[in-house]
């Protein structure tokens, strides 16, 4: 039976590898899952394996164990991935956008390769829509609006509106050869995957009466997520998605998950980092530029999307490893940047140590290795299976706070936590707020007729506030975490007794609700004793009382 892992030895390693790894001395082909070298063909190429071998200061025994872990981490991501394969037909129509007339030679070259080439000045183009294989260009020529269709576009210094569409390539960013390679590779059939899974049931934009969220669409660098404002539905275009994961990091409820590394896969993956330091490196970063020895116990973790990591991921890794995290990247997304600051402030308050370092060159990395400190006292594990993003973070953060009052941490522009205040004297326990809350932060408890709230799993969306029918009853405290035990537990926000129908004795509403309605309707009913009595009757008894009064009056009339 063929092994899943293959190691192509180009350096002459002087120690054995785990028996699960096939050791080869020359390029090979096979049905391998993970390889350390592109010359050893496998579904997944993991460059971090050779990188670790070349730079780690671990002992031989630890290297043998760690190399096995690096293979297993990649395999685990593959096993839990929730992506699907899609394909789009891409024809040969190419639009070149430039004012450089010398590019006629390029035009001829592409025609020789069987491309149909059009050349336009950027000043004539008003808009670009669609996606690779079906791009629609709106242009203006002599005061006339024209529509042009093409499969791909090469545009020097392309504006943002054009770069949001898939199939548009800028040689100023990719180099001309890089852009041409894209054209050639895509021609025929373009293959892509979905990077995002979506659960509308906990989305804070989906079918809300007013817009209270939509951060995912705001941070999307392409047109992969669009808001349909009339229906309050999100529309996804997987073909336009770059897979950066920025939307995942800012989604407050966890409605968006990253298919290449779903939350549950990350939870399993983090087990490999017990006692180690995670060196997170996005795939786009060049490992060849990191030319320093890795401190003992440092494990690289390559990630597909550089922006998808959020607070639940990072706190999991910190509490599993008991060590700081190093993020080696040239770009930190808005959401991930917010949570790194928030978590660092929390760890400073609790342990007086930094939790997450960010760097983008070897010199910074070397300085971090010299100064970083472990915090094994923070280690904690939970079963995250079935838990939502905020529930995971709440459980982990609650353990970290551990009965202390660590004060308040302000949350960020793109990651929101908070609290609510309810004026109990005005709350009639109509439970509209409970119906509005789709993350179970607000809950109704019939056992004691109470309304309860858990701030730590609230997304701070504010939909409960706009839904509450009572004036000045419910208000939202924005953008702060209160790091004390009460913030993580259910608090009773309002409570009442049930009112029993004066006819049949059935409980049918809260005392305050009945008293409120009675206060409003009594002046309107005047001295009508029957109508006044119905104010204190259940729905079934109200008509009985009215009909009985009518019949009594009829009978009185007959007797007269």
């Amino acid at each position: 039976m063929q092994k899943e892992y293959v190691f192509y030895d180009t350096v002459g390693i002087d120690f054995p590898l785990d028996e699960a790894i096939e050791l080869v001395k020359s390029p090979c082909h096979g049905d391998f899952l993970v390889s350390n070298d592109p010359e050893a063909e496998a579904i997944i190429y993991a460059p971090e394996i050779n990188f670790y071998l070349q730079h780690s200061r671990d002992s031989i025994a630890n290297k043998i164990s760690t190399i096995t872990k690096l293979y297993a981490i990649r395999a685990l991501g593959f096993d839990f991935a929730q992506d699907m394969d899609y394909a789009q037909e891409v024809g040969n129509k190419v639009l070149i956008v430039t004012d450089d007339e010398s590019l006629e030679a390029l035009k001829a070259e592409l025609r020789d390769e069987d491309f149909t080439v059009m050349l336009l000045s950027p000043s004539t183009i008003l808009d670009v829509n669609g996606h690779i294989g079906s791009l629609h260009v709106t242009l203006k020529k002599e005061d006339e609006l024209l529509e042009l269709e093409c499969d791909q576009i090469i545009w020097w210094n392309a504006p943002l509106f054009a770069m949001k569409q898939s199939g548009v390539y800028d040689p100023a960013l990719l180099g001309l050869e890089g852009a041409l390679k894209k054209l050639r590779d895509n021609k025929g059939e373009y293959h892509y995957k979905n990077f995002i899974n979506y659960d509308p049931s906990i989305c804070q934009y989906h079918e809300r009466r007013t817009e209270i969220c939509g951060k995912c669409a705001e941070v999307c660098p392409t047109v992969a997520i669009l808001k349909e404002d009339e229906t309050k539905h999100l529309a996804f275009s997987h073909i336009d998605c770059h897979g950066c994961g920025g939307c995942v990091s800012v989604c407050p409820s966890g409605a968006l998950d990253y298919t290449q590394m779903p939350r549950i896969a990350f939870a399993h993956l983090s087990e490999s980092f017990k006692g180690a330091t995670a060196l997170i490196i996005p795939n786009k970063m060049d490992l060849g530029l990191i030319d320093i020895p890795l401190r003992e116990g440092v494990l690289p973790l390559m990630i597909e999307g550089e922006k998808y990591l959020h607070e639940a991921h990072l706190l999991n890794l910190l509490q599993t490893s008991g060590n700081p995290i190093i993020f080696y990247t040239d770009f930190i997304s808005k959401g991930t940047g917010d949570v790194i600051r928030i978590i660092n402030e929390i760890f400073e308050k609790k342990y007086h140590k930094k939790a997450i370092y960010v760097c983008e060159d070897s010199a910074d990395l070397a300085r971090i290795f010299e100064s970083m400190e472990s915090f094994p006292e923070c280690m904690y594990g939970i079963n995250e299976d079935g838990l939502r993003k905020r529930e995971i973070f709440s459980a982990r953060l609650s353990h970290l706070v551990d009965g202390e009052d660590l004060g308040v941490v302000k949350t960020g522009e793109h990651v929101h936590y908070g609290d609510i205040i309810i004026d109990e004297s005005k709350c009639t326990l109509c439970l509209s707020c409970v119906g509005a809350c789709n993350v179970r932060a607000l809950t109704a408890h019939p056992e004691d007729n109470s309304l309860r709230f858990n701030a730590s799993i609230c997304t701070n969306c504010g939909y409960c506030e706009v839904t509450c029918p009572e004036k000045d009853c419910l208000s939202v405290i924005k953008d702060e975490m209160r790091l004390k035990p009460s913030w993580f537990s259910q608090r009773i926000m309002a409570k009442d007794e049930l009112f029993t129908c004066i006819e049949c004795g059935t409980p049918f509403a809260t005392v305050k609700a009945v008293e409120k309605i009675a206060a409003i309707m009594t002046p309107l009913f005047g001295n009508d004793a029957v109508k006044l009595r119905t104010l204190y009757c259940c729905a079934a008894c109200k008509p009985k009382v009215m009909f009985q009064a009518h019949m009594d009056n009829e009978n009185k009339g007959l007797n007269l």
Side-chain angles (χ1 to χ4, degrees):
M1 186 175 176
Q2 183 176 302
K3 297 174 180 176
E4 284 191 316
Y5 310 147
V6 59
F7 183 89
Y8 176 24
D9 184 8
T10 56
V11 295
I13 58 171
D14 55 358
F15 54 85
L17 296 176
D18 187 274
E19 61 181 14
I21 304 169
E22 182 81 31
L23 179 66
V24 297
K25 296 289 185 181
S26 60
C28 66
H29 304 283
D31 295 327
F32 297 109
L33 178 60
V34 186
S35 80
N36 67 315
D37 191 295
E39 294 293 321
E41 206 168 87
I43 295 172
I44 300 167
Y45 164 46
E48 67 272 24
I49 297 171
N50 279 356
F51 168 75
Y52 167 79
L53 265 176
Q54 292 161 4
H55 297 88
S56 178
R57 285 181 170 173
D58 284 346
S59 65
I60 296 294
N62 284 340
K63 280 183 179 176
I64 294 170
S65 166
T66 300
I67 289 171
T68 307
K69 285 181 183 175
L70 292 176
Y71 276 99
I73 287 169
R74 287 290 191 150
L76 197 147
F78 178 83
D79 290 343
F80 279 90
Q82 296 176 357
D83 53 8
M84 297 179 67
D85 293 315
Y86 298 92
Q88 166 68 40
E89 187 178 338
V90 180
N92 61 353
K93 294 180 183 175
V94 174
L95 173 63
I96 297 176
V97 185
T98 180
D99 282 325
D100 186 351
E101 295 180 357
S102 67
L103 290 174
E104 284 295 332
L106 172 63
K107 196 174 169 183
E109 178 186 337
L110 289 173
R111 280 177 175 164
D112 288 344
E113 296 179 32
D114 201 27
F115 281 102
T116 299
V117 185
M118 299 160 281
L119 200 145
L120 285 176
S121 165
S123 61
T124 62
I125 298 178
L126 301 179
D127 199 8
V128 179
N129 284 298
H131 54 73
I132 185 170
S134 182
L135 289 164
H136 309 281
V137 181
T138 304
L139 55 107
K140 190 174 184 181
K141 195 171 184 181
E142 297 177 353
D143 296 330
E144 187 179 1
L145 289 181
L146 300 172
E147 296 290 327
L148 181 149
E149 293 191 355
C150 61
D151 295 288
Q152 302 184 76
I153 299 174
I154 287 187
W155 190 335
W156 273 262
N157 299 308
L160 182 60
F161 74 84
M163 290 302 293
K164 286 189 172 184
Q165 313 297 325
S166 56
V168 181
Y169 304 109
D170 185 348
L173 300 174
L174 299 174
L176 180 57
E177 283 308 313
L180 291 176
K181 185 175 187 308
K182 292 277 187 185
L183 283 190
R184 291 162 181 148
D185 289 347
N186 296 336
K187 187 180 172 187
E189 204 165 59
Y190 175 75
H191 295 271
Y192 63 99
K193 292 176 178 288
N194 61 313
F195 286 95
I196 303 300
N197 262 349
Y198 175 55
D199 179 359
S201 70
I202 55 172
C203 172
Q204 305 301 15
Y205 177 80
H206 185 71
E207 296 185 351
R208 300 301 208 190
R209 293 190 306 279
T210 57
E211 183 171 331
I212 54 169
C213 193
K215 280 286 180 189
C216 54
E218 289 175 23
V219 302
C220 180
T222 67
V223 291
I225 305 178
L226 294 176
K227 295 183 293 184
E228 296 176 348
D229 288 337
E230 286 190 6
T231 60
K232 295 292 188 297
H233 282 198
L234 293 177
F236 294 88
S237 172
H238 296 303
I239 196 169
D240 289 305
C241 178
H242 290 175
C244 70
C247 55
V248 178
S249 67
V250 299
C251 177
S253 61
L256 297 176
D257 200 6
Y258 199 63
T259 58
Q260 310 300 303
M261 187 59 72
R263 279 195 301 276
I264 189 63
F266 196 90
H268 287 282
L269 168 158
S270 68
E271 293 294 314
S272 296
F273 288 84
K274 277 183 180 172
T277 298
L279 172 60
I280 300 175
I281 310 172
N283 281 338
K284 65 171 188 169
M285 299 298 286
D286 185 354
L287 290 179
L289 297 178
I290 306 177
D291 192 23
I292 62 168
L294 295 182
R295 183 169 144 165
E296 197 171 332
V298 172
L299 257 68
L301 171 60
M302 301 294 287
I303 58 172
E304 181 65 32
E306 70 276 15
K307 302 178 183 176
Y308 78 89
L309 293 171
H310 53 61
E311 60 269 36
H313 292 127
L314 295 172
L315 191 53
N316 176 325
L317 208 45
L318 289 164
Q319 290 188 322
T320 304
S321 70
N323 282 298
I325 294 170
I326 307 171
F327 205 159
Y328 183 87
T329 180
D330 59 359
F331 183 83
I332 289 288
S333 73
K334 295 170 181 174
T336 306
D338 274 357
V339 298
I340 287 175
R341 178 190 59 75
I342 291 166
I343 289 176
N344 274 337
E345 285 189 25
I346 293 169
F347 271 65
E348 287 288 348
K349 284 176 177 287
K350 178 71 179 185
Y351 304 113
H352 309 293
K353 294 176 183 174
K354 190 167 184 175
I356 304 169
Y357 296 83
V358 179
C359 66
E360 60 177 309
D361 58 44
S362 295
D364 278 348
L365 189 54
R367 282 191 285 273
I368 291 168
F369 285 157
E370 290 177 2
S371 62
M372 68 181 192
E373 298 177 81
S374 299
F375 27 72
E377 62 272 30
C378 88
M379 292 181 76
Y380 179 58
I382 60 170
N383 180 3
E384 296 186 358
D385 197 5
L387 295 179
R388 296 170 175 174
K389 174 181 175 179
R390 295 243 162 168
E391 292 170 338
I392 295 168
F393 189 67
S394 169
R396 291 187 170 281
L397 187 56
S398 174
H399 180 268
L400 184 149
V401 171
D402 190 26
E404 294 185 59
D405 185 347
L406 300 177
V408 175
V409 168
K410 291 289 183 184
T411 56
E413 180 183 355
H414 302 281
V415 175
H416 302 282
Y417 281 81
D419 207 335
I420 66 171
I421 297 173
I422 291 179
D423 185 338
E424 189 171 5
S425 68
K426 295 175 181 174
C427 176
T428 58
L429 274 88
C430 71
L431 305 183
S432 296
C433 55
V434 175
C437 180
N438 61 2
V439 293
R440 303 191 290 243
L442 276 159
T443 49
H445 294 261
E447 65 273 20
D448 62 354
N449 308 311
S450 68
L451 169 65
R452 302 185 190 187
F453 176 66
N454 183 338
S456 67
I457 59 173
C458 167
T459 61
N460 212 212
C461 70
Y463 197 51
C464 54
E465 186 175 30
V466 299
T467 301
C468 178
E470 308 298 340
K471 186 179 179 183
D472 299 328
C473 175
L474 191 158
S475 56
V476 175
I477 300 172
K478 289 281 187 183
D479 295 330
E480 62 179 37
M481 288 180 179
R482 295 185 176 275
L483 301 178
K484 58 182 180 181
S486 62
W487 198 72
F488 299 94
S489 59
Q490 283 192 326
R491 308 193 314 257
I492 294 178
M493 308 301 287
K495 193 174 179 180
D496 199 2
E497 299 296 325
L498 291 182
F499 189 92
T500 54
C501 173
I502 59 175
E503 285 290 317
C504 67
T506 301
F508 68 96
T510 63
V511 170
K512 281 191 288 188
V514 172
E515 288 176 346
K516 180 182 178 183
I517 293 171
I520 295 170
M521 300 305 295
T522 296
L524 300 176
F525 290 167
N527 295 322
D528 190 325
V530 175
K531 288 185 176 178
L532 289 173
R533 185 173 180 79
T534 63
L535 294 172
Y536 304 98
C537 295
C538 68
C541 289
K542 278 182 198 292
K544 292 179 185 175
V545 171
M546 293 298 293
F547 277 112
Q548 187 59 53
H550 174 75
M551 295 302 298
D552 289 346
N553 285 335
E554 288 283 314
N555 291 335
K556 284 180 184 175
L558 288 174
N559 290 335
L560 288 172

